[in-house]
Amino acid sequence: MVRNTAREIAIHLSYELSFTSKEINALLDERLQKESFAILAEEDALYQETPNAKQEEYIRRLVKGVNEHAAELDSYIAKYAKGWSFARIPLVASAIMRVAMYEILYMPDIPNGAAINEAIEIAKKYETPETVKFMNGILGTFVRQEIGE
């Protein structure tokens, strides 16, 4: 499994946190089981390979971090979502941007450009071209304004 696959799985789990009452560790323990991947692989090729220990740690760190910093990340999304109310932003788009912003802010080993590029590539699978363009604008402005790049 490559990092962008692990990232996309983290986005799926972050999205799921938006509407589940499960505790985060319980959700991660359940979803990162080999059996869960086998079931999901029938519907989505993304789950064909179970993450190794390093990939699982990355997914857990990312999902827990996004969950812990959700209010902060959402405030950045709302701040840079010119012309869109936060409620209008699709949940998948929000999950993708939260993951990218978390990587930019809290995972210095991941280049900012890689975090944004991967987020946009993943978004293209799930969102309309208009939403993808909107997300790219938010993430680019976020990096320029908050990080100074």
Side-chain angles (χ1 to χ4, degrees):
M1 174 181 295
V2 292
R3 181 168 273 189
N4 62 338
T5 301
R7 181 181 284 113
E8 190 168 350
I9 290 167
I11 288 167
H12 285 193
L13 292 168
S14 295
Y15 169 75
E16 188 171 349
L17 282 172
S18 300
F19 56 86
T20 186
S21 59
K22 287 184 182 173
E23 193 270 329
I24 189 165
N25 287 320
L27 176 72
L28 288 168
D29 290 346
E30 178 184 314
R31 294 291 186 250
L32 293 173
Q33 294 287 327
K34 189 172 212 140
E35 296 79 17
S36 292
F37 270 71
I39 292 166
L40 291 169
E42 294 174 15
E43 297 176 24
D44 190 338
L46 187 68
Y47 293 91
Q48 292 291 333
E49 186 181 344
T50 306
N52 65 29
K54 184 177 178 182
Q55 294 156 341
E56 183 175 330
E57 168 55 32
Y58 168 75
I59 292 167
R60 286 179 181 275
R61 179 178 173 204
L62 200 47
V63 174
K64 286 180 179 182
V66 167
N67 184 62
E68 182 179 320
H69 294 275
E72 173 194 11
L73 300 171
D74 288 352
S75 72
Y76 285 125
I77 294 169
K79 179 178 179 179
Y80 296 110
K82 304 291 184 210
W84 288 47
S85 69
F86 189 81
R88 183 177 167 215
I89 300 171
L91 287 176
V92 173
S94 294
I96 293 168
M97 289 188 288
R98 285 180 190 132
V99 165
M101 288 176 171
Y102 181 82
E103 287 181 320
I104 291 164
L105 291 169
Y106 298 103
M107 299 177 87
D109 56 312
I110 298 173
N112 296 342
I116 292 172
N117 289 337
E118 289 296 326
I120 296 308
E121 287 306 309
I122 291 168
K124 288 176 182 177
K125 290 174 64 176
Y126 300 99
E127 296 296 346
T128 65
E130 176 191 41
T131 302
V132 172
K133 183 177 177 184
F134 168 74
M135 293 169 64
N136 194 33
I138 288 176
L139 293 172
T141 303
F142 165 76
V143 167
R144 285 190 301 278
Q145 297 294 318
E146 303 298 329
I147 310 302
E149 285 187 17

